[in-house]
Every structure is written in structure tokens, then in C-alpha cells.
Amino acid sequence: MSVMVIIKRVFRMDQTEQLVPLLKELREKSSQQKGFISRTTYSKMSDPGELVVIAHWETADDWSRWMNSPEAKNLQWKIDSIIGEKTAFELYTATDY
């Protein structure tokens, strides 16, 4: 069953130069992984340093396999080191109610 992953990151605008290349690399590499369906990134209108990413994966296992890979862990560590806090991830599945 497909899952939706909501990812939230908050950063200062003076971190953009360091952060954007890593976010683009993470986006590119994740889109090549087994089970990846789609992703949309939103920037908060009143604070462009607050991002929400909505990603769709075929299964939670597909997403977990990618996020637990050394490549993803390394990129995520670099991102979190720049923003100074852990990125928040929430996993959702469709329901009938």
C-alpha cells in the first residue's frame, strides 16, 4: 500500500547557499530509488525558510530502505548539521474513513 511521507525542515535564509545543493542532491537521488512515486516541495509563504515536502512511495519499506541507506543517511546528516536540528519525518497511509 502506498504511503505519504511529510518532511519538514526549517532553516535560516543565510544557510541557503550551503543547503540547496544538498536538498537538490537528496531529491535527485531519492527519485531514482525503488518505490519512489512523486514529491512536491512547498515553501511557507510568510517564511520561505520553512519547507514541507510531501513524498509518495509505493511502500513504507521502500522509503525506509532508502532513508536507511548510507547515501541517504550521509546527505541527511549534512542537512541536519547545517540547519542545526533534526529533520522531522511523518509517515501516513491512506484510510477508508
Side-chain angles (χ1 to χ4, degrees), residues 61-73:
D61 287 343
D62 290 333
W63 179 77
S64 291
R65 189 171 15 271
W66 160 241
M67 287 307 296
N68 288 315
S69 72
E71 187 172 37
K73 282 183 174 183

Side-chain angles (χ1 to χ4, degrees), residues 5-95:
V5 182
I6 298 180
I7 305 162
K8 186 173 181 182
R9 294 184 178 98
V10 179
F11 62 95
R12 294 186 326 268
M13 295 311 292
D14 64 347
Q15 297 169 321
T16 303
E17 190 174 316
Q18 289 179 286
L19 195 57
V20 169
L22 293 170
L23 294 174
K24 286 182 177 181
E25 184 177 355
L26 186 63
R27 179 177 67 207
E28 180 182 328
K29 291 182 185 286
S30 67
S31 67
Q32 299 169 2
Q33 302 305 308
K34 177 187 178 296
F36 175 83
I37 299 171
S38 67
R39 172 195 37 265
T40 306
T41 302
Y42 296 92
S43 179
K44 188 173 182 180
M45 292 179 70
S46 62
D47 181 1
E50 185 172 323
L51 300 180
V52 173
V53 179
I54 299 175
H56 291 91
W57 289 77
E58 289 180 13
T59 68
D61 287 343
D62 290 333
W63 179 77
S64 291
R65 189 171 15 271
W66 160 241
M67 287 307 296
N68 288 315
S69 72
E71 187 172 37
K73 282 183 174 183
N74 183 49
L75 284 167
Q76 191 58 58
W77 179 85
K78 289 177 182 179
I79 290 166
D80 289 349
S81 294
I82 291 169
I83 64 176
E85 62 183 60
K86 287 188 146 270
T87 298
F89 298 95
E90 296 182 25
L91 207 57
Y92 294 83
T93 188
T95 65

